[in-house]
Amino acid sequence: MKKLITTCSLFSFLIFTSCNIQPQKIEYGKDACHFCRMNIVDQLHAAQLVTAKGKAYKYDAAECMINDLEEIEPDQIGLLLVSDYNKPGELIDAKTATYIISKNIPSPMGAFLSSVSTKEEALELQKNKEGEIYSWDELINHLRKE
């Protein structure tokens, strides 16, 4: 009976933790981009998609994640995260982030795309680096036009 309780407890634990929708730590210099297979080394531009079932896909740049979205059904997405340019290595919600495309801020895939937490931060970055500012929806529409 004790063995059955232990087995049931372990099984329950595995069920509840296996579908946990949370990001995984990006191992910079070790992990490879799910889309382009480049090593992820730039903490300013990395991104991550976590499926509704909890599987994490890591990207070396937001544009790789955005390109990969064409292959993933929207109802399969749990989280979309991008690096905060002002806080290297910190991931923020991609849908609420503000984006800047500036030729003065190189990114791993050459799209010159960076993200920050707020529009105010983007405007401040724009003062120093120039470029165009976008919300998530505006960015997706802009990239689809290209």
Side-chain angles (χ1 to χ4, degrees):
M1 183 67 166
K2 203 175 199 181
K3 188 175 182 178
L4 178 63
I5 292 172
T6 303
T7 303
C8 289
S9 296
L10 179 61
F11 183 70
S12 297
F13 173 77
L14 291 174
I15 286 176
F16 288 116
T17 58
S18 65
C19 295
N20 198 0
I21 302 172
Q22 63 182 13
Q24 289 182 3
K25 182 176 186 236
I26 296 174
E27 297 290 335
Y28 295 96
K30 293 180 182 176
D31 286 336
C33 177
H34 179 72
F35 184 75
C36 73
R37 305 292 183 227
M38 281 180 41
N39 266 5
I40 303 171
V41 295
D42 186 346
Q43 293 185 19
L44 300 174
H45 294 98
Q48 191 170 150
L49 180 154
V50 182
T51 68
K53 292 184 178 182
K55 182 170 173 76
Y57 295 99
K58 302 171 187 177
Y59 302 93
D60 67 333
E63 55 265 30
C64 283
M65 181 178 72
I66 292 167
N67 286 326
D68 206 26
L69 288 176
E70 294 178 17
E71 304 298 320
I72 300 171
E73 294 296 323
D75 64 339
Q76 293 179 349
I77 298 169
L79 295 171
L80 293 172
L81 304 163
V82 291
S83 289
D84 186 333
Y85 182 83
N86 289 330
K87 297 174 187 161
E90 185 175 310
L91 296 174
I92 56 176
D93 186 330
K95 291 185 176 182
T96 60
T98 302
Y99 298 86
I100 183 168
I101 296 177
S102 170
K103 296 289 184 186
N104 296 314
I105 307 173
S107 64
M109 296 307 294
F112 302 97
L113 175 62
S114 301
S115 50
V116 290
S117 296
T118 66
K119 187 168 186 176
E120 292 76 22
E121 288 177 281
L123 290 168
E124 191 63 33
L125 197 55
Q126 186 183 43
K127 284 181 191 176
N128 298 322
K129 301 289 188 176
E130 302 175 336
E132 298 296 319
I133 294 175
Y134 301 90
S135 68
W136 173 257
D137 291 332
E138 291 167 340
L139 177 66
I140 297 301
N141 289 333
H142 172 76
L143 295 175
R144 286 187 180 150
K145 289 178 186 175
E146 290 185 342

